[in-house]
Amino acid sequence: MQDLYASRTDRTAAIIARQDPVVYGGGSYAQAIEPAQLSSYERDGFLLLEDVFSEDEVQALLDEIKRMSADPAITVLEEAITEPGSDAVRSIFRVHELSERIGLLARDPRLINVARQILGSEVYMHQSRANMKPGFKGKEFYWHSDFETWHVEDGMPAMRALSCSVLLTDNNACNGPLMLVPGSHQQFISCQGQTPENHYKKSLKKQEYGVPDTLSLQLLVEQGGIQPMTAKAGSVVFFDCNTMHGSNGNISPWPRANVFMVYNSMENTLQPPKYGLKPRPEHIATRKRFQALEPVEAPATAG
Amino acid sequence: MQDLYASRTDRTAAIIARQDPVVYGGGSYAQAIEPAQLSSYERDGFLLLEDVFSEDEVQALLDEIKRMSADPAITVLEEAITEPGSDAVRSIFRVHELSERIGLLARDPRLINVARQILGSEVYMHQSRANMKPGFKGKEFYWHSDFETWHVEDGMPAMRALSCSVLLTDNNACNGPLMLVPGSHQQFISCQGQTPENHYKKSLKKQEYGVPDTLSLQLLVEQGGIQPMTAKAGSVVFFDCNTMHGSNGNISPWPRANVFMVYNSMENTLQPPKYGLKPRPEHIATRKRFQALEPVEAPATAG
């Protein structure tokens, strides 16, 4: 069967039209967001919801992540990733299983029902992580489509997954906010260059493969511009798995923290990776232990 | 005589109150900006003037800089600085002498009379450069006070100089705009660590000495916040020589270009550098060939 979204082959870079829906089943599977919000998501490839979590909820989540980042039992795990050239923890993967509190967040109806509504099915967690971009020395994260990586390296068949980023600190123009290219989810950028084994260990720190070419990026940005997600703590950004995004470094004293979770449709579970690549570890891409997450009405961050 | 602004000694970092005026002679030496603007500059340590140069003027300046950046006779000079790890020209120093057009810009009344008004005297060019922060791979420039460097490495006696940055591209939240800390000009951050010989060659690419400590930065930002200079091409930012500033990297496709000029008071010409350091070259810090610049009414960018 022909791969609709071939990438990292010996071909040159190419722009391929998206073959999959953005909103599945007309957005009727669950009732979490309004039709206008659904349309906006479908058009732009993302949606910012403000004031989703209260100050108390944000503080509790932030405390939990700070606690985990300082816990030697956590930082010793391969789930914990440090900044290049520093010991500061940049990300903790599989955070919804390592923390009961964040496990509840993952099933919070304010998040999971948006995912179920957009993806038109039950969903499971493909990947979760807490991100801490420290002040003063936070490094950039270059432009990429998550789907490109998940398709090639994890064997995710279709564009039927979405990410949600729960902002735990204010994101402003100065601390390296997430930047999204509106409309970019409708085009798949096939990247140049083949992928060596085990490169994921490095790519979590610095992208080297699956990097879109500058000409394609320029075209996407000419068409859609760039939307920096400057918003208050407690806001949530939902974005399609194929939306082009990145972030600049952060020399400001203000750290940037979020919980980042990827919901994938139960009808889109992983196939073998492309090109005979070895599957990435389970904490980076859930392949074996997936199960549909039930919404849980209890407050995600009850003390 | 005691050095009011000692830095890079064997002491620890320290915050020292500014001893010099910000506006000299009550701002009556020339008439370029309004009293409210003068007060705002005095309070914040900077002033943004929008729509100073027309689209045509901006285009002519941009064309001139692009021409120079591609001219092998220019790029071979030690005045031309490239990005770390790339051949792209990042800065061209002494640009007001290398280009007649930019020489006229340096004497444009819209710029030089602001400098004369604030510094209360005739002024000369301490340093000029064109900066091109390329798209996709523009690197960050960490926090620093220019005066700290100029005082230690160039022997500039007092805080009686100002910089002006003429924006030649739109600066937005995504392309690494200049960030300034309001009020920081009132405090001198004495930095730790002594300075090796000839370090300027590296420091133009990456700061290693004269780097303020994070505690002092945190205090300055708690007091004043951070103001990103997001503004349209044709705007001009004037800022005091001691205002703390820096910029994040730029992964956006949009380059960031400006002409940056430092006016120093004719009553504040250079002394020997501190600690027996060898003077930096003339194109980095005008030591010998200074002369008061006369305002020239002719359009700076006449074709």
Side-chain angles (χ1 to χ4, degrees):
Chain A
M1 200 178 82
Q2 203 207 335
D3 183 358
L4 296 173
Y5 306 117
S7 187
R8 311 191 206 177
T9 63
D10 50 6
R11 301 184 319 193
T12 58
I15 301 186
I16 298 167
R18 180 189 186 113
Q19 305 294 317
D20 300 312
V22 177
V23 173
Y24 284 75
S28 61
Y29 192 84
Q31 299 303 319
I33 55 175
E34 300 299 318
Q37 294 175 310
L38 208 56
S39 303
S40 164
Y41 179 91
E42 190 163 28
R43 181 193 66 223
D44 295 335
F46 61 86
L47 180 67
L48 172 67
L49 299 182
E50 297 184 282
D51 297 318
V52 176
F53 293 96
S54 71
E55 272 183 45
D56 286 350
E57 289 177 306
V58 166
Q59 193 55 55
L61 288 165
L62 207 48
D63 288 347
E64 173 71 349
I65 287 167
K66 282 180 181 164
R67 183 193 64 73
M68 295 175 79
S69 299
D71 179 353
I74 299 284
T75 57
V76 76
L77 299 176
E78 64 174 344
E79 277 86 345
I81 312 290
T82 54
E83 285 279 314
S86 143
D87 282 340
V89 171
R90 175 182 181 139
S91 301
I92 302 172
F93 279 77
R94 205 169 60 86
V95 67
H96 75 293
E97 293 186 344
L98 293 176
S99 157
E100 196 185 333
R101 190 183 284 278
I102 295 175
L104 283 167
L105 179 71
R107 294 189 279 163
D108 191 300
R110 290 169 287 184
L111 302 181
I112 196 170
N113 281 344
V114 177
R116 294 166 77 237
Q117 183 175 3
I118 289 173
L119 302 178
S121 68
E122 294 303 302
V123 298
Y124 72 98
M125 190 67 73
H126 172 63
Q127 181 187 98
S128 75
R129 60 181 197 258
N131 292 312
M132 280 74 53
K133 190 176 221 173
F136 298 116
K137 53 183 175 182
K139 292 290 183 293
E140 68 178 39
F141 216 100
Y142 197 69
W143 299 109
H144 62 288
S145 147
D146 290 326
F147 180 75
E148 196 276 343
T149 299
W150 300 338
H151 185 64
V152 171
E153 299 189 22
D154 298 336
M156 183 182 283
M159 294 177 183
R160 196 170 179 178
L162 64 76
S163 298
C164 90
S165 177
V166 178
L167 309 191
L168 301 183
T169 50
D170 293 352
N171 281 6
N172 58 44
C174 299
N175 65 346
L178 174 66
M179 301 189 291
L180 297 152
V181 179
S184 58
H185 62 309
Q186 294 291 5
Q187 290 157 87
F188 179 76
I189 308 300
S190 176
C191 300
Q192 272 189 292
Q194 295 174 30
T195 313
E197 281 297 336
N198 286 331
H199 99 93
Y200 72 88
K201 288 183 185 169
K202 279 176 78 180
S203 77
L204 297 176
K205 295 196 180 192
K206 191 170 187 307
Q207 292 281 119
E208 287 179 85
Y209 304 94
V211 176
D213 64 297
T214 55
L215 188 61
S216 298
L217 281 173
Q218 214 137 18
L219 283 169
L220 291 181
V221 170
E222 269 169 31
Q223 287 166 16
I226 299 177
Q227 188 62 53
M229 289 289 117
T230 52
K232 293 279 173 202
S235 305
V236 181
V237 186
F238 293 90
F239 60 101
D240 182 83
C241 57
N242 190 45
T243 302
M244 192 62 72
H245 62 287
S247 59
N248 281 320
N250 176 22
I251 67 164
S252 88
W254 303 312
R256 198 166 68 79
N258 60 57
V259 174
F260 179 87
M261 295 186 290
V262 183
Y263 295 103
N264 190 22
S265 168
M266 286 295 283
E267 298 173 33
N268 194 39
T269 56
L270 303 188
Q271 303 294 312
K274 302 288 172 187
Y275 320 125
L277 287 170
K278 210 173 114 189
R280 301 197 297 174
E282 196 74 13
H283 70 275
I284 305 285
T286 307
R287 173 175 296 279
K288 297 171 191 153
R289 296 187 296 124
F290 59 87
Q291 54 177 19
L293 292 171
E294 297 285 320
V296 173
E297 286 291 343
T301 55
Chain B
M1 200 178 83
Q2 204 209 335
D3 183 358
L4 295 174
Y5 305 118
S7 186
R8 309 189 207 180
T9 63
D10 50 8
R11 301 184 319 191
T12 57
I15 301 186
I16 297 167
R18 180 188 186 115
Q19 305 294 319
D20 300 313
V22 177
V23 174
Y24 284 76
S28 60
Y29 193 85
Q31 299 303 321
I33 55 175
E34 300 299 318
Q37 294 173 311
L38 207 56
S39 301
S40 163
Y41 179 92
E42 189 163 28
R43 181 192 66 223
D44 295 336
F46 61 86
L47 180 68
L48 172 67
L49 298 182
E50 298 184 282
D51 298 318
V52 176
F53 293 96
S54 71
E55 273 183 42
D56 286 351
E57 289 176 306
V58 166
Q59 194 55 55
L61 288 165
L62 208 48
D63 289 346
E64 173 72 349
I65 287 167
K66 283 180 181 164
R67 182 193 66 71
M68 294 174 80
S69 299
D71 179 353
I74 299 283
T75 57
V76 77
L77 298 176
E78 63 174 345
E79 278 85 344
I81 312 289
T82 54
E83 285 279 316
S86 143
D87 282 340
V89 172
R90 175 182 182 141
S91 301
I92 302 171
F93 278 77
R94 204 168 60 86
V95 67
H96 75 292
E97 292 185 345
L98 293 175
S99 158
E100 195 184 334
R101 189 181 286 276
I102 295 176
L104 282 169
L105 179 70
R107 295 188 280 163
D108 191 302
R110 291 169 286 182
L111 302 180
I112 196 170
N113 280 344
V114 177
R116 293 166 76 238
Q117 184 174 2
I118 290 172
L119 302 178
S121 68
E122 292 305 302
V123 298
Y124 72 97
M125 191 67 73
H126 172 63
Q127 181 187 97
S128 76
R129 60 181 198 257
N131 291 311
M132 279 75 53
K133 191 176 220 173
F136 298 116
K137 54 184 175 181
K139 292 289 182 293
E140 68 179 37
F141 216 100
Y142 197 69
W143 298 110
H144 62 286
S145 147
D146 290 327
F147 179 75
E148 196 278 345
T149 300
W150 300 338
H151 185 63
V152 171
E153 299 188 23
D154 299 335
M156 183 183 282
M159 295 178 182
R160 195 171 180 176
L162 63 77
S163 298
C164 89
S165 177
V166 178
L167 309 190
L168 301 182
T169 50
D170 293 352
N171 281 7
N172 58 45
C174 297
N175 65 346
L178 175 65
M179 301 188 290
L180 297 153
V181 179
S184 58
H185 62 308
Q186 294 291 5
Q187 289 156 89
F188 178 76
I189 308 300
S190 175
C191 301
Q192 272 189 293
Q194 295 175 31
T195 313
E197 279 298 337
N198 285 330
H199 99 94
Y200 71 89
K201 287 183 186 170
K202 280 175 79 179
S203 79
L204 297 176
K205 297 197 177 191
K206 191 171 186 310
Q207 292 280 118
E208 288 179 83
Y209 303 94
V211 176
D213 65 297
T214 54
L215 187 62
S216 298
L217 282 173
Q218 216 137 18
L219 283 170
L220 291 181
V221 170
E222 268 168 34
Q223 288 167 15
I226 299 177
Q227 188 64 52
M229 287 290 118
T230 53
K232 295 277 173 205
S235 306
V236 181
V237 186
F238 293 91
F239 60 102
D240 180 83
C241 57
N242 190 44
T243 302
M244 191 62 71
H245 62 288
S247 59
N248 281 319
N250 176 22
I251 68 164
S252 89
W254 304 312
R256 198 165 69 79
N258 60 57
V259 174
F260 179 87
M261 296 186 290
V262 182
Y263 296 104
N264 190 22
S265 167
M266 287 293 284
E267 298 172 32
N268 194 39
T269 56
L270 303 188
Q271 303 295 311
K274 301 289 170 185
Y275 320 125
L277 286 169
K278 210 173 116 189
R280 300 197 297 175
E282 196 73 14
H283 69 275
I284 305 285
T286 308
R287 172 175 299 278
K288 297 171 193 153
R289 295 186 296 125
F290 59 88
Q291 55 177 17
L293 292 170
E294 297 285 321
V296 173
E297 285 290 343
T301 55

